[in-house]
Amino acid sequence: MAVLEHALLQVAPDRVEAYEAALASALPLIRGMPGFEGIEIRRNAEAPGNYLLLVRWSSIADHRDGFRKSEHYKQWRALLHEFYDPFPDVRYFGEPFQS
């Protein structure tokens, strides 16, 4: 079952430019990972420095056991984690609800 990783990212407004430059460098690290199906990052239209991260994975394990235990994740973490305050809470969601 495909899953959607969701996280709200908070970056100090005065660090947005540096964060977005680091993010551009980090994106290739995740795009080549097994089970990766796509990524979307949206800026909050009302609050500078707030972002919505949505990553589609084939499974939770592809993210948790694959990406997060990889050398690519170490590089991702080095590039991006210093910007987050507080550190994001990651949640996983299943298939879209069908009525």
Side-chain angles (χ1 to χ4, degrees):
M1 171 177 81
V3 297
L4 186 64
E5 172 194 355
H6 164 281
L8 296 174
L9 311 175
Q10 295 183 31
V11 174
D14 64 339
R15 300 197 70 204
V16 164
E17 190 173 317
Y19 171 70
E20 291 186 3
L23 182 60
S25 296
L27 287 173
L29 297 169
I30 196 171
R31 287 190 171 126
M33 293 302 301
F36 173 83
E37 296 183 0
I39 189 167
E40 191 172 334
I41 302 166
R42 294 188 179 212
R43 293 180 190 102
N44 186 317
E46 299 176 314
N50 290 306
Y51 300 83
L52 171 64
L53 170 73
L54 300 170
V55 185
R56 289 181 307 283
W57 295 98
S58 296
S59 69
I60 293 172
D62 284 325
H63 177 244
R64 254 193 334 226
D65 303 328
F67 181 55
R68 282 207 170 163
K69 292 181 180 178
S70 72
E71 290 300 315
H72 285 216
Y73 182 74
K74 289 178 184 177
Q75 294 172 49
W76 172 277
R77 184 178 59 220
L79 285 166
L80 300 176
H81 285 196
E82 70 174 276
F83 292 99
Y84 302 136
D85 186 24
F87 194 77
D89 181 32
V90 173
R91 304 288 172 126
Y92 301 100
F93 295 85
E95 296 293 332
F97 177 74
Q98 302 293 324
S99 61

